[in-house]
Every structure is written in C-alpha cells, then in structure tokens.
Amino acid sequence: MELNRKKELGNFFKKKRESVSPESFGINILSNRRASGLRREEVAELANIGVSWYTWLEQGRDIQVSYAILLSLLTTLNCTSVESKYVLELAGYSSTGIKRSLEESAMYSIQYILNSFSTAPTIVLDNQWNIVAWNKMASYVYDVNHNLQYNNLIELIFLDKNYQMLFLNWKDKAQELLAQFRLSFSKEIESEAHLHFVGSMKARSKFFVDCWNEHRVLGETPFNKTILHPVLNELSFEFSSLHYIDENKANLKMFINVPTNDGITEEKLKQINGL
C-alpha cells in the first residue's frame, strides 16, 4: 500500500469519526467537549484497538493495517457497504461478502461453532489467511486478539517474535504454512490483494523471500504439533482444517487444534478455562 493510499485511508477514518454522534454510542456529552464526533480514544476503545495505533492510522503513517482490524473499525463506525468496499479495496483487500459480514455481527454462526470448541484452539481464515474469527482458547494459547500488530497468519509466523516463540523451530513451521498458503494463492494468482500481500512480505522479510522462491506446496493434511506456551509449557495438539462456505459463497477455512488423546493437554486447558 503506497503512501497516498495510507493518507486517503487515514483521512476517511478521521472524517467518519468526526461525523458520527457520540450519543448513539451511549457517551454523555459534557458542555466543554470540543470534539464534534467521537474522539480517537473513544473509537480505539469501541473497536478494541490501541489508541496510539489508531492515531497513526489517521495520520497516514507507514503501518500495516490488517483485514480483521479494518472490519472492527468499519463495524464500530457503522460504515455502509459502499464505504466498507472503498476502505477494504483502498487497503488492498478483497471486499467480497463485506455487506453480510458487517450486518451479521462478526459472522454469528461461525462464532457459535468456534465457541463450542471449549478446549480446542480454533481460528478462521479468509482466502488471504487473515484471521477473521477465533475462540476463547485460541486467544489464550496463541494470544490472538484485536490488538495484534499482525492479524494475518503468514505475517505472524514470519514477523512476530512472540508468535515464533510458541514453536520449537518456527522456521520449519513458517515454511510449512507458506507452502500451504501458496496452494491457496494459486487459485487467485492474479488477485491484486494477493499480489500486494506477497510483495509486502517480500519487502519485510528476507526469510519469506527465500521460502517463496522455493516454490514449495503442501496440502492441508492433519498432523500433530507441539506448542511451547509461556505459562502452560508444552501443549500437544492434533491439527486439522475445515473449509466453510457461507451463503454469499465466501470461502473461509477453520484451523482446529484438538488436544491429543493422552489427556495431559486437555486437562491443562480445562483448568485455565474453568471447566
């Protein structure tokens, strides 16, 4: 995303913030209030993101804006489907299915399924591997939340040191994930959003460039994996993926981590989940 795109994105959110009524969010207006709409800190709190990060977004700084955070902001500011399409395409993302995503409160049916997996950390990815939904256990095990600097699984494994520390050898894991991503990428190889994302990753990670140039591909087959959690120590999972197609034919995928059947990991997760 070029600098002019970031400036346009920042200007849009600034004007949108100033145009909405604080009263519609239950915010009491004091007589000495100078802001005509919402304040930056109010938008950040409502969207569950950092104030500094949101300020940088409005200022058009050179930061990476994830799909999940954009959705949160668009929902918070009650943006129309046209405004949402404009913002997502301006940021280099696909706007397919955006109207339904916003109208149905963060994909109610998918979130219901995720929440039923009480001891299985599960995330949902869109076709560019942005994390668009997750359950409580994924938040605890992988620290997935709205305040992440990166909300794309490829960005996390290649760029986020805290996420890399969860794996005994994160480079092996990164190579595997990228090989799976590449298989998905082949279906939409001419997509501007995909090309922009790959170009952005090449600019930020030499290791990504090395792995991308290997042209390795892998299917999403079940396998066992170990997570080195900072509090619970070693956790063992059986990993599998499921594809989910909604009414608007949006192709999503669920990454499900089921505790191995030795009972050790499941017991640890039950204790922290209060079960």
Side-chain angles (χ1 to χ4, degrees):
M1 189 164 58
E2 297 175 357
L3 187 59
N4 64 325
R5 285 178 174 265
K6 293 182 184 293
K7 290 290 186 184
E8 287 294 318
L9 201 60
N11 289 335
F12 171 85
F13 279 115
K14 181 176 184 295
K15 293 298 182 181
K16 188 67 179 179
R17 169 177 62 82
E18 294 173 346
S19 70
V20 297
S21 168
E23 291 96 332
S24 65
F25 294 89
I27 299 173
N28 294 324
I29 303 301
L30 301 177
S31 59
N32 62 348
R33 183 183 177 101
R34 298 174 60 186
S36 58
L38 288 174
R39 294 178 173 136
R40 284 173 175 170
E41 57 268 26
E42 291 168 342
V43 173
E45 182 178 357
L46 289 167
N48 195 25
I49 62 177
V51 178
S52 296
W53 188 93
Y54 178 73
T55 300
W56 297 338
L57 173 62
E58 278 200 3
Q59 292 172 344
R61 293 202 191 182
D62 190 18
I63 58 174
Q64 183 68 21
V65 188
S66 76
Y67 184 90
I69 290 179
L70 283 176
L71 283 185
S72 180
L73 285 170
L74 291 169
T75 304
T76 296
L77 295 173
N78 296 322
C79 292
T80 66
S81 59
V82 174
E83 290 172 329
S84 301
K85 176 181 173 64
Y86 169 75
V87 166
L88 290 177
E89 294 188 354
L90 187 63
Y93 296 114
S94 170
S95 60
T96 304
I98 183 61
K99 183 175 181 180
R100 181 172 182 268
S101 295
L102 297 177
E103 288 180 348
E104 295 198 0
S105 182
M107 301 176 293
Y108 171 80
S109 60
I110 293 179
Q111 194 64 57
Y112 186 91
I113 295 171
L114 295 185
N115 293 342
S116 69
F117 300 154
S118 59
T119 57
T122 304
I123 61 174
V124 177
L125 308 177
D126 65 11
N127 65 349
Q128 197 172 313
W129 287 41
N130 296 301
I131 303 173
V132 296
W134 57 87
N135 61 4
K136 179 181 177 181
M137 195 52 64
S139 295
Y140 188 83
V141 173
Y142 294 108
D143 197 25
V144 179
N145 59 76
H146 287 294
N147 291 321
L148 284 175
Q149 182 180 3
Y150 309 110
N151 273 77
N152 180 285
L153 195 58
I154 298 300
E155 286 182 316
L156 280 172
I157 193 62
F158 278 94
L159 302 175
D160 192 297
K161 288 183 169 51
N162 290 329
Y163 189 78
Q164 293 167 359
M165 290 174 63
L166 294 173
F167 304 95
L168 188 61
N169 191 331
W170 72 267
K171 288 191 172 183
D172 288 345
K173 184 62 178 175
Q175 288 174 316
E176 292 173 2
L177 282 176
L178 187 60
Q180 293 174 2
F181 173 80
R182 188 165 202 133
L183 185 62
S184 301
F185 177 86
S186 66
K187 299 173 185 177
E188 300 185 49
I189 195 167
E190 295 180 347
S191 163
E192 290 186 10
H194 278 71
L195 294 172
H196 166 78
F197 177 74
V198 172
S200 173
M201 286 301 304
K202 286 181 176 180
R204 290 179 288 164
S205 170
K206 183 182 181 304
F207 183 55
F208 177 91
V209 175
D210 294 339
C211 295
W212 187 256
N213 290 339
E214 290 177 0
H215 293 269
R216 183 183 178 192
V217 292
L218 283 176
E220 295 166 10
T221 56
F223 61 89
N224 291 346
K225 72 176 182 181
T226 300
I227 297 296
L228 305 177
H229 194 268
V231 176
L232 300 180
N233 299 318
E234 189 173 297
L235 300 173
S236 299
F237 297 101
E238 295 178 2
F239 170 84
S240 60
S241 63
L242 294 175
H243 286 263
Y244 182 99
I245 301 177
D246 71 2
E247 294 175 2
N248 283 343
K249 302 188 185 313
N251 195 348
L252 306 172
K253 68 179 84 224
M254 291 186 182
F255 276 9
I256 307 170
N257 298 277
V258 178
T260 51
N261 60 10
D262 59 11
I264 298 175
T265 294
E266 184 177 13
E267 187 59 32
K268 288 181 180 180
L269 297 179
K270 281 183 176 180
Q271 289 177 5
I272 63 99
N273 205 25
L275 299 177

